[in-house]
Amino acid sequence: ERLGLRLKPMPGVGMVIGAVRPGSVSAQVGLRAGDVIRKLNNRSTSSLNEYREAVIQARASRSVLLLVVRGQRGYYLTLPF
C-alpha cells in the first residue's frame, strides 16, 4: 500500500497497524504497530470495506488526514499520498 502499512481490521473500532514499512511516509511521521486508524479523510475505517472506500476516495488528493489512536490518546496526522 502507498502508506507503507500492514493493517488488520478491528470491527467497530478501526484498522490496527500490524507493521510499518521502514522508510515509508508512515514511519517518518511516527506511526507504529499497534496504533489504530479510526478515520481516513474524516471517513470511518471501522471495517476493511470502509477503509478501502476511503483510500479510493483519497486517491485524487495529494495528502490524507488520519485520526490515529495510540493507547488512550487520539491525534490527527496528515501524510502525503
Side-chain angles (χ1 to χ4, degrees):
E1 172 181 317
R2 284 181 123 156
L3 300 177
L5 299 171
R6 183 174 303 142
L7 302 169
K8 299 180 283 189
M10 183 180 277
V13 176
M15 301 300 292
V16 178
I17 298 174
V20 180
R21 187 175 63 235
S24 67
V25 172
S26 297
Q28 291 171 12
V29 299
L31 287 174
R32 302 190 294 211
D35 289 348
V36 179
I37 299 174
R38 298 290 307 263
K39 291 186 178 185
L40 189 148
N41 282 353
N42 292 316
R43 293 180 59 123
S44 174
T45 61
S46 61
S47 73
L48 191 53
N49 287 338
E50 286 180 343
Y51 178 80
R52 286 182 181 152
E53 184 63 30
V55 168
I56 289 168
Q57 295 286 326
R59 285 191 175 147
S61 64
R62 294 184 183 269
S63 63
V64 293
L65 177 67
L66 301 178
L67 171 57
V68 177
V69 175
R70 179 179 294 155
Q72 299 297 315
R73 300 186 72 173
Y75 56 98
Y76 286 93
L77 290 173
T78 302
L79 293 110
F81 193 59

